[in-house]
Structures are given as structure tokens and as C-alpha cells.
Amino acid sequence: MISTHFVPSVYSHQKKEGKVTWKAPSNIALVKYWGKKENQIPANPSISFTLDACATTTTVSYKKLENRSPEFSIDLFFEGKPKEDFRPKIESFFNRIEPYLPFLKEYIFIVETSNSFPHSSGIASSASGMAALALCLMSLEKELNPEMSSDFFNQKASFLARLGSGSACRSIEGDLIQWGEHKEIIGSSDLFAIKYPFKVHSVFKNYFDTILLVDKGQKQVSSSVGHNLMHNHPFSEKRFKQAHVNLKGLQSVFEKGDLDKFIEIVESEALTLHAMMMTSLPYFMLMKPNTLNIINKIWEFRKATNTHICFTLDAGANVHVLYPENEKDVVFQFIKDELVVYCEEQQYICDRIGFGAKQL
Ligand code: PMV
């Protein structure tokens, strides 16, 4: 199904060649997207903190061909070296977005990309990677249609990024980003992400995320396999409804700065994501013993200190430790003293809430 809103009519300008660079951040979901329908439509709405330090930088150089080519012409480089492994994913992305960017077969592209985080860190780069690439292609479209508004630019970038990797649509802007239709969130859409439209208390304006690298290997289950496991899952319908309820619950949490309720929803979402994987067929256990050791330590520390440290997880063993700025010294000391021992090679990444992608 084509979303006609994002199909351009005629371009007013021409562009022979050029080069553009975008740096797009990763994001961490608070209410998780897990399960999708056809065409990358999410089965439930989600919300995320945009990150700051974890990011992908992509440069796209483009040159107009004499004649439109029957195939895409793309040269791919990762961290300075040719990277043919990316080709299937990038070509399938180009195929999906071609109806919305009809010039893709009229140019030859060189795509050079690098991540701020180590390649083998177990941190997925698909969200930041697809967002950065979508933004570069939008910059070319803006050359062809300079009248485009910045709102449309961001919305279409999010729309395109979603077609590469669902969660990538939440990596265009910051700081709190919502994706997926929710009847009480005005402007929410399954097609692209929006900035959270309600009031957000200042405590959430500067939140920290220390990512503990428990397992730096390749993910055991790709997210597309994971999303598919939600079809015919015995608990999927209840889970999709729960995501709506949790998003609604977060509205007053964000407004009032209710950290206790925030912790309850965020940790429950993380554990539910993993519970869904444990109860699908086939079933998976993506936590490692050290994931559980860290969670238990966080719970003990929170109880003993009355701080507001909490955790969330993505579809893997690594732990995102979340905490507000006014507790950062005591919590970070605790992380260094007691949690880092559970990390593979004692590695972790210090990140915090960020404000979206930047053109360099
Ligand atoms: O964007 P995908 O298809 O890689 O899915 C991401 C799924 C989770 O990271 C587990 C949750 C989320 O909402 O980001």
C-alpha cells in the first residue's frame, strides 16, 4: 500500500551532484514496539528516549547518471572499508522507499557510514543507521524541492527510516518520541514518529542511560524474527492492549515527574518484552545470568538508597541503566563499583537523553 502523502509530484529543481552528511542517534524504547503488521506498521504504539552518544554518521555522495538505470547504483563503505554485507539490507530499503523517492535510480550513490559505538558491542545500529541514511536522502530531495518545510522534511525522514527498521523512525528528532497510533495522543501515527505532544516535567529533560555491555556478540534473534513471533502468540492481543495502557499511564508520569510510576512502567515493559520472547514458539531466552545479576543489584540499591535508578532492556542481554541527573553522582559510583564487573570485558557506554539528528 502506497501512502500518497509522501509521494512527490514534480520536482522544481535539478541537482547534478553533491554530498551530504547526517549524524543520527540511537534510541531506547520505554514502551516497547514488539510485533508488526505488513509494511512496517507497528502492532502497538511505543515511546522512546532519543540517545546522544550512540549514533551513526553517514555521508552520501551522489552523481546524476546520463540515463536512468534499471538497477540501484550504490557503493557501500563502513568505517572506511568497502562493506558488501550491507548490500542486501540497503537494496531492500531502497526498493521499499523508491515509490517515495522516484529519483533513486537516476543517481549513483556512495554511502559511507560509521558508528560512535564499537562494532561488536551488541548495540544494534539499525535505528541510527537507517535514520542517518533516510536523512541524507531527504537532503537530496530537498535540493530537488527547496520549498519543502522542515516539518515535512522530518516527518518524511521518519516515514522512510521506518521502512528500513521500525524503531529507526524514532531516531530523527528528540528528546521524547512517540510512534504508533494511540487514540489519546493527538497527531500520533503508525507511519512516522512524532515529538511527544504533552507536557514533560523537567526531571525527564536530562536523563542518563548507562549501557552495560553484558554480551557483545551478535544478537541471538534478529528483530524481524522476533516481531514475527508475535503472530499467533498466545498473549499478543493482551500485550498490544497493555502497551496502549502503559502509554496512557506515562502521560501523568511525564507531566508530574512521577519517578516511582515511571520505574514501574519502564521495568515492566522491559520484562514483558522478554516474557513475550520466552513464551513464543520457538521460545528464546535473551537475558544472560549477568543481566539478572545486574537487575537484582539495581533493585537492592534502589531499596537501600531511595534513588530512582531503574533498568530497561532491548532484545538482548545488555542492560540500559536509567537515572535522573540529580542522582547521577551516587548512581554512577554504584554502577562503577558494583555493576561493571558483570559486563563483558568491563565495558559500558555512558549515554544520556539527546535532541535528535544533526546535519554535519
Ligand atoms: O526496529 P526493530 O525492528 O529493530 O525493532 C526494535 C525492537 C525493540 O528494540 C526491542 C523495541 C523498540 O521499541 O525499540
Side-chain angles (χ1 to χ4, degrees):
M1 198 183 58
I2 301 286
S3 308
T4 49
H5 181 57
F6 294 111
V7 176
S9 39
V10 274
Y11 290 127
S12 55
H13 285 61
Q14 300 228 1
K15 183 80 182 168
K16 277 221 165 81
E17 57 188 303
K19 187 172 177 175
V20 59
T21 302
W22 277 90
K23 181 177 181 185
S26 189
N27 69 76
I28 179 69
L30 305 170
V31 170
K32 307 289 180 182
Y33 150 58
W34 198 242
K36 63 178 167 185
K37 306 177 200 165
E38 252 187 290
N39 301 318
Q40 302 278 98
I41 298 298
N44 65 260
S46 57
I47 190 163
S48 52
F49 276 153
T50 305
L51 295 180
D52 184 47
C54 288
T56 299
T57 300
T58 297
T59 298
V60 172
S61 314
Y62 50 90
K63 193 168 183 180
K64 190 134 194 214
L65 296 160
E66 293 282 314
N67 296 304
R68 190 182 165 85
S69 152
E71 307 288 337
F72 298 118
S73 314
I74 319 166
D75 280 338
L76 295 164
F77 294 85
F78 179 66
E79 279 158 14
K81 298 196 186 89
K83 187 79 176 169
E84 280 307 302
D85 307 9
F86 286 174
R87 185 168 299 284
K89 205 162 180 194
I90 300 298
E91 286 193 344
S92 108
F93 177 53
F94 270 48
N95 267 313
R96 282 189 199 165
I97 62 175
E98 201 198 356
Y100 309 100
L101 299 177
F103 55 77
L104 289 179
K105 286 185 177 145
E106 292 170 13
Y107 286 85
I108 177 158
F109 294 99
I110 300 172
V111 177
E112 295 164 277
T113 189
S114 62
N115 291 332
S116 66
F117 43 91
H119 187 46
S120 58
S121 59
I123 303 275
S125 57
S126 58
S128 51
M130 288 298 174
L133 182 54
L135 284 158
C136 290
L137 297 173
M138 281 309 294
S139 286
L140 170 52
E141 180 162 73
K142 192 162 165 61
E143 297 280 357
L144 305 175
N145 175 18
E147 299 82 38
M148 182 188 296
S149 72
S150 65
D151 281 353
F152 182 85
F153 182 98
N154 283 335
Q155 203 174 80
K156 184 163 174 182
S158 173
F159 171 86
L160 297 175
R162 186 196 100 243
L163 294 173
S165 167
S167 59
C169 75
R170 299 187 313 238
S171 275
I172 305 295
E173 294 184 271
D175 41 353
L176 197 51
I177 298 292
Q178 197 269 328
W179 168 43
E181 242 176 85
H182 187 285
K183 69 179 186 322
E184 288 174 65
I185 303 181
I186 325 124
S188 62
S189 169
D190 286 344
L191 299 180
F192 49 82
I194 58 169
K195 278 165 94 89
Y196 189 63
F198 303 125
K199 201 176 148 204
V200 180
H201 189 278
S202 59
V203 74
F204 294 113
K205 289 284 164 191
N206 212 353
Y207 232 75
F208 285 71
D209 178 4
T210 303
I211 308 165
L212 302 178
L213 305 179
V214 172
D215 181 9
K216 301 196 295 167
Q218 276 273 319
K219 282 193 173 180
Q220 186 192 329
V221 190
S222 74
S223 53
S224 46
V225 169
H227 291 295
N228 277 333
L229 293 172
M230 290 300 276
H231 295 300
N232 307 317
H233 189 292
F235 309 132
S236 59
E237 284 313 312
K238 270 257 153 61
R239 157 61 198 154
F240 299 147
K241 287 203 178 92
Q242 179 198 41
H244 286 259
V245 173
N246 281 343
L247 252 178
K248 170 75 189 149
L250 280 177
Q251 195 177 324
S252 70
V253 165
F254 287 136
E255 187 178 330
K256 296 185 195 134
D258 182 349
L259 291 178
D260 293 333
K261 188 79 187 157
F262 174 79
I263 291 169
E264 187 180 288
I265 292 176
V266 168
E267 292 190 345
S268 161
E269 275 288 323
L271 295 177
T272 301
L273 169 70
H274 282 254
M276 289 296 116
M277 284 183 257
M278 286 188 234
T279 49
S280 57
L281 272 179
Y283 39 80
F284 293 97
M285 166 66 81
L286 301 186
M287 289 191 236
K288 297 277 184 214
N290 281 342
T291 311
L292 287 179
N293 284 328
I294 290 169
I295 291 174
N296 282 313
K297 281 275 180 189
I298 287 175
W299 284 344
E300 276 168 29
F301 180 77
R302 187 163 76 219
K303 203 164 171 202
T305 57
N306 283 320
T307 50
H308 297 92
I309 180 174
C310 74
F311 71 87
T312 188
L313 307 165
D314 58 17
N318 296 336
V319 183
H320 288 248
V321 186
L322 304 177
Y323 47 100
E325 183 176 34
N326 61 355
E327 296 175 4
K328 74 174 194 309
D329 296 338
V330 52
V331 172
F332 190 55
Q333 196 60 49
F334 160 69
I335 291 173
K336 284 189 292 188
D337 293 346
E338 304 214 30
L339 300 186
V340 168
V341 291
Y342 298 116
C343 297
E344 199 175 331
E345 293 170 2
Q346 312 245 326
Q347 282 189 13
Y348 58 96
I349 299 173
C350 291
D351 212 335
R352 61 198 295 173
I353 199 162
F355 298 93
K358 284 195 188 76
Q359 187 171 357
L360 303 182

